[in-house]
Amino acid sequence: MDIRLSGRSALVCGASKGIGAASARALAGLGARVVALARSADALREVVAELPGEGHQALVADLSQGDALAAALEPVLAAHGPLHILVNNCGGPKGGPIVEAREEEFLAAMQNHLLAAVRLSRLLLPGMREAGYGRIINIISTSVKVPIPNLGVSNTTRAAVANWAKTLSREVAADGVTVNNVLPGFTRTERLLTLMAGAAKRLGQTPAETEAAWMRSVPAGRFARPAEVAAGVAFLASPAASYINGINLPVDGGRTGCL
Ligand SMILES: NC(=O)c1ccc[n+]([C@@H]2O[C@H](COP(=O)([O-])OP(=O)(O)OC[C@H]3O[C@@H](n4cnc5c(N)ncnc54)[C@H](OP(=O)(O)O)[C@@H]3O)[C@@H](O)[C@H]2O)c1
């Protein structure tokens, strides 16, 4: 099975920590040259410095600023040539009851997740098509299968991304480009710790009680390590996944209760 990514370049968004940083490590581990994007310059440089292999680069940019994002990417494309792999990933929207979510929260989430992915894909697709090799992988959520209570803005935005991705996958398939979604379950990152702290407060529990309750909902009996989610990303990015297109891949320890 061919999972090597030598000679391939990847843009990984939200790569300063969590699932994005782990994805950068997994792709670099298979031989890809990685451009790691996020807002925090120092954290990003630390991630890039520790990536295996050579030619990696930090790109400090904000996914919410579409025009500035495109401008920041221009010199990278000029220097690197085509970026064959795009991992669309950004910090998750704030939780809370959907009736209380403000319109600005929906707009911000759509900007960071849907519109950033749309913009980056448009910029990278010509190079992918020319190379006859492209992999667009969106980190979204199991909420596209079963909406998660108290994450209404996220649920709404992920559904939009999943439908955009499915539509795009059919338009670019004949050019050697695939578009797939990875749906993480509970994964031990800052995002999860923030959500657990919020839930504990709301329910009048200790953080340890909330953690134990959440773990009981996972058949595997534990949370994922970011590297386990990144393994799904890396496989979908590889030559071996060439005929897998337009899918949602849950990486959730069996938690999602539907097919
Ligand atoms: N962890 C879980 O259990 C879980 C479960 C299901 C779904 N997910 C989803 O998976 C995605 C990744 O989760 P995670 O747990 O790895 O999150 P995380 O630890 O909060 O990391 C988020 C990453 O996104 C970057 N980021 C945030 N806003 C950005 C912006 N405007 N522009 C550029 N980069 C930005 C952050 O870096 P900077 O702050 O440096 O910009 C960071 O690198 C999220 O969408 C999350 O909702 C996570």
Side-chain angles (χ1 to χ4, degrees):
M1 184 165 76
D2 183 9
I3 56 164
R4 293 302 306 167
L5 292 174
S6 323
R8 301 294 178 199
S9 297
L11 173 63
V12 183
C13 302
S16 63
K17 58 187 174 190
I19 293 167
S23 299
R25 284 191 282 272
L27 294 170
L30 293 181
R33 213 153 53 124
V34 171
V35 178
L37 181 152
R39 295 166 303 178
S40 313
D42 290 346
L44 204 51
R45 279 191 206 106
E46 274 177 38
V47 170
V48 168
E50 287 172 8
L51 293 178
E54 287 176 355
H56 310 301
Q57 180 183 340
L59 178 61
V60 179
D62 188 334
L63 292 166
S64 71
Q65 306 296 316
D67 291 341
L69 179 64
L73 200 58
E74 222 170 86
V76 177
L77 285 170
H80 266 262
L83 294 167
H84 310 97
I85 300 158
L86 167 62
V87 180
N88 287 311
N89 173 54
C90 189
K94 183 161 92 53
I98 201 164
V99 288
E100 289 171 16
R102 291 172 295 117
E103 281 181 27
E104 302 86 76
E105 291 175 41
F106 286 96
L107 285 171
M110 286 294 184
Q111 182 65 56
N112 282 339
H113 293 269
L114 179 67
L115 298 180
V118 168
R119 171 83 75 130
L120 290 172
S121 302
R122 278 216 193 109
L123 289 168
L124 268 51
L125 265 169
M128 292 179 182
R129 285 179 144 143
E130 204 179 314
Y133 191 101
R135 300 283 188 267
I136 298 175
I137 300 155
N138 310 301
I139 311 293
I140 49 174
S141 168
T142 56
S143 67
V144 296
K145 289 179 169 282
V146 181
I148 301 172
N150 233 55
L151 282 180
V153 176
S154 177
N155 294 340
T156 308
T157 310
R158 311 306 185 168
V161 174
N163 279 284
W164 161 76
K166 184 70 184 173
T167 311
L168 180 65
S169 72
R170 298 173 63 95
E171 293 181 11
V172 297
D175 299 320
V177 179
T178 66
V179 186
N180 293 295
N181 305 316
V182 169
L183 320 182
F186 291 137
T187 308
R188 200 174 281 285
T189 66
E190 268 183 40
R191 161 86 174 161
L192 186 69
L193 298 181
T194 307
L195 290 175
M196 271 195 306
K201 202 169 160 195
R202 214 175 43 252
L203 300 168
Q205 296 175 333
T206 65
E209 285 169 336
T210 306
E211 178 167 336
W214 285 20
M215 266 193 208
R216 279 195 297 274
S217 72
V218 185
R222 62 178 180 84
F223 296 154
R225 288 177 288 109
E228 293 179 295
V229 179
V233 173
F235 176 70
L236 289 172
S238 75
S242 53
Y243 207 61
I244 300 175
N245 195 18
I247 68 156
N248 287 317
L249 175 65
V251 183
D252 66 351
R255 176 166 166 264
T256 307
C258 69
L259 296 173

